[in-house]
Amino acid sequence: MHSLQLDNLRNVLIRQEETIIFALIERAQFKQNRIIYQKNGIAIQDFDGSFCDYLLFETEKIHARVRRYTSPDEHPFSPSLPAPILPPMNYSRTICPNDVNINDRIYRLYVDQIIPNICAAGDDNNYGSSVTCDVICLQSLSKRIHYGKFVAEAKFQQAPAAFADLIKRRDEEGLRREITHPAVEERLLRRVEQKAATYGQEIDENSNGATYKIQPAAIRRLYQEWIVPLTKTVEIQYLLQRESTTTIEEPSTSSKETPHG
Amino acid sequence: MHSLQLDNLRNVLIRQEETIIFALIERAQFKQNRIIYQKNGIAIQDFDGSFCDYLLFETEKIHARVRRYTSPDEHPFSPSLPAPILPPMNYSRTICPNDVNINDRIYRLYVDQIIPNICAAGDDNNYGSSVTCDVICLQSLSKRIHYGKFVAEAKFQQAPAAFADLIKRRDEEGLRREITHPAVEERLLRRVEQKAATYGQEIDENSNGATYKIQPAAIRRLYQEWIVPLTKTVEIQYLLQRESTTTIEEPSTSSKETPHG
């Protein structure tokens, strides 16, 4: 198994902030259009779900066929997807096999919390444009939050004995303390607020720089209240599965400090 | 027919600048990955085209089923698409029926000119991520450029007699002069360069504000050399079809200044 560098992972996470902020700004140009999230709010033949579910499922079917979900950093929202039509990729093994997928929670968070926070109330009939943005928002949030697996593995590799002990004792609170770095989190929150203020500002000839497409504080809150905690949930779930699904690291019988493979 | 306000149309076009710039910045994080644009560069069963063609076609099939291309401001790249599974929308009639679609040219421009200008040369294996961005870039460029139809109709409504005369004489150069406003274009170019500088800047703790994900001058050039001229091409093609496909405005026999319907 290739070892993971926390610095490299952080650079990936930092770049994903732009992707998430751009996607949310795009969605925010349309009203909430709640009907697209209501089951059968828009009736679709042979489909029992919302318009958003439909577009997401159809998009994931395409992406599954071109093997998106064979990548360890991609997680589908839909339960049953077709097999890839492309030959398998050889990904270098960086994390342990696991079945952690909290997309159900991410979906509910998105529809119930994020949409009302970033979009004006009401209906502007832009259903297709809205759900096209929704799919991109959901995929980028899912990717960011499930990246917690890589972060957790890297943290494990930095202190395997301590983590193995916490995992053995199923000590979720201990794991949460071990993976939490308040100074790093505060830097992250300051950075995403600054990015939201820069990338979300209106630019026109009469601009005074004070008008935003999404309030920067709303993006900070999104990270603080949801993205960071859900990433930790993924980290902890991954670590709790790690013990049972791998024999790479056995601190009690081996002197090796890092996994290999 | 509802009359079109040039000011409203300009606001739509101005908002589309963000969409295009965000989409290009997202694509620019990956290398050119030329193989995804080569016919059968990635072999796909029962499909004769590039990987980008495949994703675009599959995406357009979904969007066609949810009636995207029944909207007068949406134009597919793919030639034969399935019928909508949703009942038709009643769009208020704002432009005349026409079959102007220059997506073939937009596609070639994108692959041959834009990608080499915004992406680093080489291959980073991020094929799926790249083509997902490509689809969004192509759709946003197509929407912006084909908005020329609405712009042309609004300009026609402001001076129907002059336009009808130029159309009758098939005077393409005269039409081009009539629709061209150098001061407006210069403001547009300054604005997109400023947007690219703002939205494309790297933000980190050591940022000096001088690092860009895409050079602002490249975005200005994209608008100057391609988006503005291609929009004019759409405007002229639309106007040349307008005469033969509508009897809404007959300046020689009617005193009405604006079409109706």
Side-chain angles (χ1 to χ4, degrees), chain A residues 4-250:
Chain A
L4 292 165
Q5 300 295 322
L6 260 180
D7 277 354
N8 293 344
L9 295 178
R10 289 225 171 89
N11 286 336
V12 175
L13 294 177
I14 286 171
R15 180 59 188 82
Q16 288 178 1
E17 291 160 5
E18 270 86 329
T19 301
I20 290 171
I21 292 170
F22 289 168
L24 294 175
I25 289 172
E26 285 298 287
R27 177 60 182 89
Q29 68 188 303
F30 308 111
K31 291 192 175 172
Q32 292 185 26
N33 296 319
R34 302 303 303 178
I35 196 172
I36 61 180
Y37 307 116
Q38 289 158 12
K39 192 172 173 180
N40 303 321
I42 295 170
I44 298 168
Q45 220 182 338
D46 303 322
F47 186 78
D48 188 37
S50 72
F51 189 49
C52 182
D53 295 336
Y54 178 77
L55 248 289
L56 186 59
F57 183 40
E58 292 296 316
T59 305
E60 290 199 328
K61 282 199 274 189
I62 301 176
H63 290 178
R65 283 197 290 268
V66 298
R67 68 182 171 203
R68 177 172 186 151
Y69 305 109
T70 64
S71 172
D73 63 350
E74 295 284 356
H75 301 75
F77 286 81
S78 312
S80 50
L81 290 168
I85 58 170
L86 297 178
M89 286 272 280
N90 279 322
Y91 292 102
S92 58
R93 190 163 168 228
T94 46
I95 56 172
C96 296
N98 68 87
D99 63 5
V100 176
N101 180 333
I102 64 164
N103 275 339
D104 277 1
R105 287 181 64 181
I106 294 170
Y107 189 96
R108 293 307 339 152
L109 155 71
Y110 179 74
V111 173
D112 296 340
Q113 307 286 338
I114 299 180
I115 287 295
N117 261 296
I118 63 167
C119 298
D123 189 305
D124 60 16
N125 256 301
N126 283 308
Y127 303 152
S129 302
S130 298
V131 291
T132 305
C133 293
D134 288 334
V135 170
I136 299 167
C137 289
L138 286 164
Q139 289 178 330
S140 62
L141 289 166
S142 172
K143 187 160 187 166
R144 165 61 170 82
I145 289 166
H146 287 97
Y147 230 79
K149 298 180 181 184
F150 295 86
V151 175
E153 180 62 33
K155 289 174 179 170
F156 183 102
Q157 291 176 17
Q158 286 188 337
F163 274 103
D165 181 56
L166 291 164
I167 291 168
K168 198 166 289 171
R169 291 190 281 108
R170 320 303 293 165
D171 181 353
E172 293 192 29
E173 274 320 299
L175 285 170
R176 188 180 303 278
R177 273 194 306 275
E178 193 71 22
I179 62 174
T180 297
H181 302 293
V184 173
E185 283 177 26
E186 183 49 37
R187 270 211 307 280
L188 177 158
L189 295 176
R190 274 206 307 271
R191 188 179 58 239
V192 295
E193 190 166 4
Q194 194 191 346
K195 284 185 181 179
T198 305
Y199 304 141
Q201 69 184 279
E202 296 286 1
I203 291 181
D204 60 48
E205 281 122 57
N206 315 312
S207 173
N208 53 9
T211 316
Y212 300 110
K213 296 189 181 76
I214 297 179
Q215 285 305 310
I219 298 289
R220 180 191 170 98
R221 211 163 48 237
L222 166 66
Y223 266 82
Q224 184 162 30
E225 292 179 14
W226 299 104
I227 294 179
V228 170
L230 285 175
T231 304
K232 285 185 197 171
T233 299
V234 167
E235 289 183 55
I236 293 166
Q237 287 193 13
Y238 170 81
L239 288 167
L240 289 173
Q241 282 198 10
R242 196 184 188 287
E243 190 192 34
S244 55
T245 58
T246 180
T247 56
I248 291 167
E249 187 61 41
E250 288 288 349

